Amino acid sequence: MDQKVVDELARIVGDEFVSTRDDVLLTYSASASIGYDSVRPGAIVRPGSTQEVADILTVANKYKIPVTPRSGGSSLQGEAIPRPDGLVIELLRLKDITVFEDLRSVRVGAGITFGRLDKFLNQYDLWVPVYPESALVCTLAGNVAVNGAGPGSSTYGCIAEMVLGLEVVLPDGTIIQTGTEGNPNAPGPFLRYAFGPDLTGLFIGSLGILGIITSVSVKAFKKMHHFHYETYGFDRAEQTEKFLMDLKQNEIGVLFASIYEGEILSFFMDMVEVEFGIPKHEWPPFTISAILGRVREDQLKSDTELTKRICEELGGHVIGISELPRGEWDKRMWTFARTSYLHGWHWRILYHHQTPSNWHRSIEEIWAVMDKYGLLGHTAGFLTGHGSYNFYPHLYFDPQDREEEMKVREAHKELAQRLFKTGAVPFKLAPYWIEDVEEMKDYLNLIKTLKRVMDPNNIMNPGIFGEM
Amino acid sequence: MTEIDLEELMENLAQCRRCGICRDAVYEDMGFDGICPVWKNTAGFETSFMRGKLMIAIALLEGRLEKTADNAEALYSCSLCGNCTEICAAEFDPTKSLELARAVLSDIPNEVRDAIAERILTTNNPYVTDKKGKRDWVAELGFEPPTKADTLYYFGCTAGMKLPETAKAAAKLLKAAGIEFAVLEDEPCCGSVMIRTGRLQDAKENAKKVLESIQESGAKIVLVSCAGCLKTLRKDYPEKFNLSMPKVVHFVEHFLELVKSGKIKLKPLGENVKITYHDPCHMGRELGIYEEPRDLLKAIPGVELVEMETNRRAAMCCGAGGGLRSYDPELSKKIAADRVREAENAGAEIIANACPFCEQNLESGAKLIDSSIGVADIVDLIVDLIE
Amino acid sequence: MNKRIVSELAKIVGEEYVSTREDVLLTYSETASMAKDPVTPGAVVRPGSAEEVSQILQLCNKHKILVTPRSGGSSLQGEAIPKPDGLVVELLRIKGITLHKELRSVTVGAGMTFGELDKFLNQHDLWIPIAPESALVCTVAGNVAVNGAGTGSSAYGSIAEMVLGVEVVLPNGEIIQTGSEANPNAPGPFLRYAFGPDLTGLFIGSLGSLGIITKVSLKTYKRMHHFHYETYGFDTAEQAEKFLIEIKNNDVLPMFASIYEGPVLSFFMDMVGEEYGIPEHEWPDRTISMTIGRLREDQLKSDVRKAKEICEQLGGHVIGISELPQGEWDGRLWVFVRTCYIHGWHWRTLYHHQTPTNSHRSVEEITAAMDEHGFLGHTAGFLSGHASFNLYPHFYFDPLDREEEHMIRAAHDELATALYKTGAVPFKLAEYWKGRMEGMEDYMKLLSAIKEALDPNGILNPGVLGGI
């Protein structure tokens, strides 16, 4: 990168926090996204304040330098891979946390991870009840930018549902605050839908193309201390799917519920049975591992009883093995990373959503693709929100086997197209989802129009949505 | 003429804050399934329902809109059914206010309105420029009722001229029940439509004439078979024209008493005949007579009373009232057809009613949509059932 | 309006559904917004489909005709007052309801009111638990465009929280579908956050200035049948405010909870005390009228106990008069309209939100304004979601007293400034917020830029969105 630019950056953040060293650039050339090509940026900058981010973007705009915002570097779908000779803006130094007990909310800088926030809120007996798989690595701001979900989402939905407002630096360096905090006189974040069209949403799932989120305000809830861990067995996919919808429909506080097919469950058991201390069991064709949680104990009891009744009415049975859901929930900030890496494979993931009643369609397509390409992988997912189900299938490859990796990439793309046809949708867009989908051209045009007006020089994470 | 307090009218009109609830409120708990039949059966611009009509009325009264027949169209495209008054949350009666506004604005040209008034004033009926025919049904009775008696059957123009079978049935019923009754030699029209369309002064003169005729008959009780006559004679004459009327009773009310007290007994109409009852606006919303006709129908052996989606205070109108049937016959019939569909949806074989004016329009509505549903006055239904 | 354009419009929608009649135009010159000057449009058109709306907007763009979308015409803050010689596009003919039972959602055309939808859903023992004050008049789509709230919002938030996607006609005539239905293969609406940045939010609270919503997809819930109606008395505003926050913190489900100050409650009692059958009572300084609702009776009982416990811990007392909340809740589709109009005054409202613990600041400002200008009014409001409180103060004037009306207009606008300074925020940016939001210039600049990008000719409801 041009030294003049680097000097200007250094003036903004201080020499210490800019780097063009080869070794440094190399470490920013990839993220946790496996099965993606590395790209070497031209410089890294680690701003310490929103104003610094604004100043950096002003410079980047002046020189038309492509910018890749990055925080935990834990995203799995290539969201933070830089552009050649581009600038990576790494936000981990933005570390503030402010709790607003009266407003039931908390505001965190873009460098705060879920783990750190959880520890902080625990002092107040509060929490933000949605935990992405990479909770110990990823920042809330980064998670909002990719709109993540995880344990807790079965009740509360994706992280978007927690957001009360964002501080965003627009590509031209303007600093915007959305939500109630848009009013500088407001006591803090208490409402997302303030001041007209919901501009907050524009940045949720935006993958950093419309601005850099420097601060996130989210809802805080009284921490739950009453949980019930249970597994429910079913013979047919249909019953299993219906069970999840009935739980939602009957207002059960189901914090996290996953469907495991027999085969996939055996695979998981091989991996974590001993670690979780799960007893041996002849698992049924379909198992639901569920955690019910409530603020009050009597509510939990009521939920537990009704859940059992719903299960049995559908022809299922309560399995009585609590260690699986307990393992998932109690260690929710680590377990999922564990099961992602424990087996030694590398993999590509294809996050997507179905409605639970369409769960089996994703399963069918994932198996079909694995069979076609001769790949291993899994089909796991969990209930998310009002009527959706979040799949995170992994397609495995041997990191030493380049050919297999390329096969996985190809399979991944085909799977996206096949899933799209089943009615699946991604939280966030990636080009492989809707390339060549005629019906979505106007939709994409609208995003492009917004991108053009907000980022006329197209410096922000260009290409991440496909060519704009 | 009868004095209209213009200031009060303007104050009342100002009570409309244009909330729009009078358009199409569907409120299951209160039984409403839509409000304005005109809105529903026209192109549906704001002028078609009460909010817009009142805006037009105010503008005409304040001189912000030129007083032309076109600009007054909205005022007259209304059956004054009063459904909007039932749902209205403000402290005024929009239907009555519109009726009064028509009266204040009666200088705006309206040929239909004036022709009807002219006929009523000259020939005692709103239909033809000829006095002949209104009493023809009497000749077919087989007996000649007197012109003076304690009980007067005030049969009304529609029964007399359009639905003579109903008039005959009513007379036969009275005879069967052993009630001695009179029929006027030259019965004047009650003038309801003049009141509704704003010819208030003429209506008042006409009312005096009606009262005189009634007094001449020596009647202590006036029996009517028409909801319009009922409301006009019982409520409008005393309230609007300060006339002191003898007791005015609808056939349904009267015969329900007779059935209840066991004075007459009814034979079965058939087996499980599904009948629904259409509430005439003048009887229901205006006078609160909802249960009597239903009770009478239920008293007929073999009748299963079924209710339409909208009934009683939330009942949709047949579309005939307020001068609408004359002002815009096509619209009026479309509204009736809607009501017929509602009856069909309720599974009814017969729409019973207690108003020849409703009956006439419901029949037109049924014809419009080729419905085979029966439309019958309660009087027609029970006339042959008296044991 | 130019005859040629009118005949073009007639070609699109049919002669019957276009009008330039003087009387028709007059009736579209105003809405339920009081103390707003009427503006006569040039034509009114009543399209029957999104496709027709699209053609109309293309035509208007070509001829630069200003468009005002309108449905129920029940908005109170001047959102649907036309432009001189402009075109009113009235959407009530766009009907249609599709229930997606297995997705827990429903799709309605722009002409469907809450009353119609509620009746429809009731057949399936379902509901959308939020009803705005004008539920029998306003359409769901119109309510989404102004982002309304009402009964049910204390538990479920504003209508925005129900939305799973919208079909929207952009100013250029393109028809966009957001949410999971953007995927033409999707089984229906099951997730709002699909396909990247949340475009749905862009149209929520947009006051029809960014596009015309022709269809809305919403969450449905199993209909509740268990309610508890109670009044809670407190000596101070602080206790009452804290009560609401604690109710939310402890997962009590308040379907509708309002704070009434003593004098305002007396005024309400004078109006509706008898209609509701509310016994005479010496009301305390602050009364909270609350309906708690639950699907299950045992949960309800638990909530009732908890609410009492919280009330008493805060030094309040359970009043034991249930008729007030019961009147509000059971009659929710009508009684709020009733209390708006029963008293005979005309009024202006000033919807805004505070966090509950700051709601006394609004009451102070409103009372001060009433004292200063010498007008009557009220200060009512209700809990609306996670930690916000929706105030809807009314400022009364005699409709026949022009001078008083103008005083109210001035006082209203002044009060908006004063409330902003207390930290209040509006859901939507009604026109009068223009120039009253010191410190939000950059936010408004972004909004303007988006408006300009989507509507370069500025044809769609210009000026209405905070002056944009």
Side-chain angles (χ1 to χ4, degrees), chain B residues 87-115:
Chain B
I87 193 81
C88 182
E91 284 290 277
F92 84 119
D93 184 330
T95 314
K96 287 196 169 52
S97 300
L98 182 66
E99 192 179 294
L100 275 186
R102 285 179 176 183
V104 176
L105 295 166
S106 62
D107 54 332
I108 300 177
N110 179 333
E111 283 172 21
V112 175
R113 170 195 67 198
D114 294 344

Side-chain angles (χ1 to χ4, degrees), chain A residues 187-224:
Chain A
F190 62 89
L191 182 67
R192 167 170 163 187
Y193 295 97
F195 300 107
D198 170 40
L199 295 186
T200 305
L202 213 47
F203 302 97
I204 295 176
S206 69
L207 308 183
I209 66 160
L210 300 176
I212 295 183
I213 301 171
T214 45
S215 169
V216 177
S217 299
V218 288
K219 299 174 186 170
F221 294 80
K222 192 167 167 174
K223 198 169 182 119
M224 285 179 190

Side-chain angles (χ1 to χ4, degrees), chain B residues 78-369:
Chain B
C78 172
S79 65
L80 299 177
C81 75
N83 211 15
C84 51
T85 296
E86 292 296 322
I87 193 81
C88 182
E91 284 290 277
F92 84 119
D93 184 330
T95 314
K96 287 196 169 52
S97 300
L98 182 66
E99 192 179 294
L100 275 186
R102 285 179 176 183
V104 176
L105 295 166
S106 62
D107 54 332
I108 300 177
N110 179 333
E111 283 172 21
V112 175
R113 170 195 67 198
D114 294 344
I116 292 174
E118 201 52 40
R119 288 194 290 271
I120 291 174
L121 293 171
T122 55
T123 62
N124 280 347
N125 79 79
Y127 293 117
V128 291
T129 51
D130 188 344
K131 276 194 181 188
K132 278 184 211 150
K134 186 166 168 180
R135 208 178 187 276
D136 286 357
W137 60 278
V138 176
E140 295 165 28
L141 267 180
F143 60 93
E144 179 68 31
T147 55
K148 286 186 176 24
D150 279 357
T151 298
L152 172 71
Y153 172 38
Y154 184 89
F155 56 91
C157 307
T158 307
M161 306 180 77
K162 301 284 183 182
L163 298 165
E165 292 307 316
T166 301
K168 280 192 273 178
K172 283 179 188 163
L173 259 181
L174 288 170
K175 193 168 169 28
I179 299 166
E180 197 189 332
F181 67 99
V183 173
L184 294 179
E185 186 56 49
D186 183 13
E187 183 187 281
C189 170
C190 74
S192 174
V193 66
M194 289 198 289
I195 300 175
R196 309 304 148 223
T197 57
R199 295 285 298 254
L200 217 47
Q201 182 58 33
D202 297 314
K204 185 177 183 178
E205 292 311 312
N206 179 70
K208 285 183 194 157
K209 185 162 86 179
V210 174
L211 180 57
E212 272 168 31
S213 307
I214 291 172
Q215 280 166 343
E216 269 173 35
S217 76
K220 295 191 179 71
I221 182 167
V222 181
L223 267 183
V224 296
S225 51
C226 170
C229 296
L230 178 71
K231 191 254 170 174
T232 305
L233 299 182
R234 189 190 277 184
K235 196 170 172 190
D236 289 334
Y237 280 18
E239 287 179 10
K240 284 190 194 296
F241 308 135
N242 207 18
L243 298 178
S244 178
M245 294 290 292
K247 198 172 174 193
V248 183
V249 179
H250 194 278
F251 255 74
V252 161
E253 298 173 292
H254 200 72
F255 275 81
L256 179 64
E257 284 308 311
L258 295 178
V259 170
K260 268 187 179 168
S261 63
K263 284 191 182 137
I264 58 173
K265 284 201 166 36
L266 299 173
K267 291 183 288 193
L269 181 71
E271 246 178 83
N272 293 330
V273 184
K274 281 192 177 163
I275 298 185
T276 191
Y277 174 69
H278 165 76
D279 291 279
C281 306
H282 279 141
M283 231 164 125
R285 281 183 282 262
E286 286 290 348
L287 297 171
I289 303 171
Y290 296 119
E291 300 313 320
E292 291 87 341
R294 288 178 170 80
D295 289 347
L296 186 55
L297 285 167
K298 281 188 277 186
I300 305 172
V303 167
E304 185 192 339
L305 185 67
V306 293
E307 288 293 351
M308 284 185 267
E309 178 82 45
T310 65
N311 57 70
R312 297 179 173 82
R313 65 178 289 213
M316 292 305 285
C317 172
C318 76
L324 189 64
R325 192 177 152 98
S326 304
Y327 188 74
D328 191 341
E330 292 316 308
L331 169 60
S332 179
K333 284 172 200 165
K334 267 199 231 169
I335 294 172
D338 251 11
R339 191 62 173 157
V340 169
R341 276 187 213 103
E342 222 185 314
E344 286 180 334
N345 290 339
E349 297 159 53
I350 296 171
I351 313 176
N353 57 79
C355 176
F357 206 51
C358 294
E359 173 164 343
Q360 184 186 205
N361 214 41
L362 290 169
E363 273 172 1
S364 304
K367 204 169 145 198
L368 193 67
I369 56 169

Side-chain angles (χ1 to χ4, degrees), chain A residues 429-445:
Chain A
L429 218 41
Y432 50 77
W433 276 107
I434 57 170
E435 266 172 1
D436 312 320
V437 177
E438 187 57 41
E439 291 95 328
M440 290 199 68
K441 286 251 152 63
D442 285 346
Y443 183 94
L444 208 55
N445 268 339

